[in-house]
Amino acid sequence: MSQSDNPSSKGNGKKRNSLPPARSKGGGSKHGGARRKPDNAPASPGAAVRVAAARTLAPVLATKTSLNLDGLPSGVAGRDQGLYKALCFGVCRQLPRLDALAGKLLKSSFKAQDQDIHALLLLGLYQLLYMRIAPHAAVGETAGAARGLGKGWATGVLNACLRRFQREQEALEAEVDKDPAVALSHPQWLLDTFQRNWPDDWEAIAAANNAQAPMTLRVNVAAISREDYLAQLADAEIDAVACPFAEHGITLASACDVSALPGFEEGLVSVQDEAAQLAGQLLAPAVTAINPEGEGVRLLDACTAPGGKLADMLERFPALDATAIDIDGERLERVEETLERLELGAGVVCADASERDWWDGEAFDVILLDAPCSGSGVIRRHPDIKLLRRPNDIGDLARLQGKLLENLWGMLKPGGTLVYGTCSIITQENARVMDRFLAATPDAKAETIKADWGRVSGAGRQMLPQVNGHDGFYLAHITKAGA
């Protein structure tokens, strides 16, 4: 974080006169007689990180792409990586509210080619509302970032809008928050879906979606016990507690770079949410019942990427005969990297789990289907879902989930076990998919999940996202009739 971004208590201080809150048609204005900086002037460190954030957010705002924070953009110092990510994630989490406020400050919208300037306005509002950055830095560095984008004309517009917001903040917030979708920073259709599915919980779900997700680890118990790893974290002065539901899980008090985790490169631990860890915990008894070591047990992990659940099963049973498939070749590279770091082995295949052209014809003892879904249970980790997901996606996804279940069921041995999971909290993708499958599949039986996590939802259990706790996730346990 640059010096100008040092957090401080909020306070507007002495106000200055502002320009009219509209885009200038010319090349910018001179303020107080000062010489105008050229549009291509080198950006200060504080402005540079905002330039990078605006460039990252612009295509997301145009609904062209998902939010991608892999790697550090050029011009951003390593010490500012945390600020860069916090700005990008934060704007996406609060986008409906920030957009509504921006609409009150602008006389007309920016042109399509100026989405980066619109992103800067949202970034400035986010800093003033939700971050402990000094207001003068939030305004000055954000407006100055327009020059780093080669659009010096926008500095006056951004200054005027942000300073007007400082003066009229209370009234502007009250006005836009009359709309629940704005106040809760979710698209209306998604709030309606949450309220219909979870009438007593929908507001808490929205609040959890708008909070920062905790960093949760899965301990490789083949190499170290959870208790011993907690001791290593304490020695490294990293505060952490054992997860209440995942038997191998640990939640950190504050997120950190994985390079700071003791033994990460040696495979002692992986990053995985607590809810996701429960899939392996649910599937493990089926493997143990066949062979306590997992030897000779055929496991299929369908839609495996990024591979955390596969790694969990192989850590529990290194002798498993595991096959992992995913339709996304690029994401499979992450699976292979994970397996290599953990020194685990599996057959990794780029294939479509709704087809059979990849299958050798030998049935599997256990199948894990982590089905493609809306991601509505992990919005806090992927806040661009609010912008990119559409209402008609849910029906399409539910049909795909049913097709995957039907296809994979034919690959399961009689007496075998299938665990179905999604990171969704929408019943159309979960309980209703399972209800239809069970009604159409006479040899499928839903097993009661006896657990203290989540709640009963159709044939499975549903977890809702928890502030400082697990993500939203659905799991169902099905067995196939026969020997």
Side-chain angles (χ1 to χ4, degrees):
M1 185 176 292
S2 62
Q3 187 174 0
S4 63
D5 293 323
N6 286 338
S8 67
S9 299
K10 291 186 177 179
N12 292 333
K14 187 177 179 180
K15 307 291 193 304
R16 301 192 317 187
N17 291 332
S18 64
L19 296 173
R23 173 179 168 177
S24 169
K25 294 182 180 179
S29 302
K30 295 180 180 180
H31 303 287
R35 181 176 297 175
R36 177 180 176 272
K37 293 183 181 179
D39 285 359
N40 60 352
S44 68
V49 71
R50 291 162 176 83
V51 168
R55 285 175 172 156
T56 298
L57 289 168
V60 179
L61 298 177
T63 65
K64 292 179 181 177
T65 183
S66 298
L67 181 63
N68 183 0
L69 299 184
D70 291 341
L72 189 62
S74 61
V76 178
R79 66 179 180 274
D80 285 332
Q81 183 173 14
L83 175 60
Y84 164 72
K85 290 185 175 181
L87 289 170
C88 292
F89 273 113
V91 166
C92 286
R93 286 194 184 103
Q94 300 295 341
L95 184 59
R97 193 164 189 259
L98 298 174
D99 254 339
L101 289 167
K104 297 295 181 182
L105 297 168
L106 291 166
K107 288 183 179 178
S108 60
S109 300
F110 291 109
K111 294 181 179 179
Q113 63 266 31
D114 294 324
Q115 282 289 343
D116 49 359
I117 300 301
H118 183 63
L120 280 180
L121 178 55
L122 302 182
L123 285 162
L125 291 170
Y126 179 75
Q127 293 165 74
L128 292 172
L129 278 165
Y130 300 107
M131 298 186 79
R132 289 176 55 83
I133 291 175
H136 73 274
V139 175
E141 298 283 24
T142 301
R147 296 190 184 92
L149 294 170
K151 299 179 180 180
W153 58 263
T155 57
V157 179
L158 293 169
N159 257 310
C161 288
L162 294 175
R163 294 196 183 284
R164 180 188 166 197
F165 177 73
Q166 288 180 284
R167 294 194 307 272
E168 303 176 24
Q169 178 175 347
E170 185 175 349
L172 288 168
E173 287 191 86
E175 186 175 357
V176 299
D177 285 344
K178 292 176 183 177
D179 182 348
V182 170
L184 295 172
S185 280
H186 279 66
Q188 187 63 56
W189 75 267
L190 196 53
L191 280 184
D192 291 343
T193 301
F194 292 163
Q195 189 170 13
R196 186 166 57 250
N197 288 178
W198 311 106
D200 297 328
D201 304 281
W202 65 280
E203 290 178 295
I205 291 169
N209 286 348
N210 292 336
Q212 183 175 344
M215 184 172 180
T216 304
L217 311 177
R218 184 192 72 250
V219 177
N220 180 359
V221 293
I224 189 172
S225 69
R226 179 165 67 172
E227 292 71 24
D228 286 346
Y229 193 77
L230 280 166
Q232 288 199 18
L233 289 174
D235 290 342
E237 298 184 344
I238 298 175
D239 292 336
V241 296
C243 290
F245 307 121
E247 58 194 8
H248 302 160
I250 291 174
T251 297
L252 304 185
S254 300
C256 68
D257 192 273
V258 293
S259 62
L261 297 173
F264 179 82
E265 288 301 329
E266 292 74 27
L268 295 187
V269 69
S270 298
V271 178
Q272 187 180 35
D273 181 71
E274 180 179 24
Q277 294 183 43
L278 297 174
Q281 201 164 300
L282 189 59
L283 194 58
V287 176
T288 301
I290 300 170
N291 186 311
E293 305 299 321
E295 187 173 359
V297 179
R298 282 176 56 83
L299 163 72
L300 172 64
D301 183 2
C303 311
T304 186
K309 300 175 188 67
L310 171 67
D312 183 11
M313 290 300 295
L314 289 170
E315 287 170 356
R316 295 170 182 268
F317 306 101
L320 273 176
D321 179 5
T323 299
I325 67 170
D326 200 279
I327 199 170
D328 190 330
E330 290 187 7
R331 298 188 74 212
L332 278 178
E333 293 178 7
R334 292 182 58 192
V335 177
E336 292 172 337
E337 290 169 0
T338 295
L339 294 177
E340 182 178 358
R341 179 178 64 85
L342 298 171
E343 297 183 353
L344 299 170
V348 179
V349 181
C350 185
D352 184 348
S354 67
E355 304 292 342
R356 296 193 178 187
D357 53 0
W358 55 272
W359 183 40
D360 64 6
E362 184 177 351
F364 296 94
D365 297 288
V366 289
I367 295 177
L368 173 60
L369 171 56
D370 187 6
C373 69
S374 64
S376 53
V378 292
I379 287 175
R380 59 187 183 173
R381 299 188 190 275
H382 304 282
D384 50 337
I385 287 172
K386 295 180 185 179
L387 182 63
L388 301 177
R389 189 64 68 200
R390 296 289 182 267
N392 58 2
D393 292 342
I394 308 305
D396 293 341
L397 287 164
R399 284 185 286 275
L400 174 59
Q401 291 150 2
K403 183 178 180 180
L404 289 166
L405 274 168
E406 181 181 358
N407 187 54
L408 296 174
W409 192 250
M411 303 180 191
L412 185 66
K413 289 181 180 179
T417 295
L418 185 149
V419 167
Y420 173 85
T422 75
C423 54
S424 171
I425 59 171
I426 298 176
T427 56
Q428 187 176 351
E429 301 177 84
N430 297 331
R432 287 164 62 182
V433 167
M434 290 307 308
D435 286 347
R436 284 195 298 272
F437 174 74
L438 291 167
T441 314
D443 59 347
K445 176 187 176 184
E447 302 292 339
T448 301
I449 300 175
K450 298 178 180 179
D452 54 358
W453 45 261
R455 62 189 72 184
V456 174
S457 181
R461 292 188 75 86
Q462 178 72 64
M463 290 162 278
L464 301 179
Q466 305 293 310
V467 175
N468 299 321
H470 57 68
D471 290 341
F473 212 86
Y474 179 84
L475 286 167
H477 179 192
I478 316 166
T479 55
K480 192 171 190 176

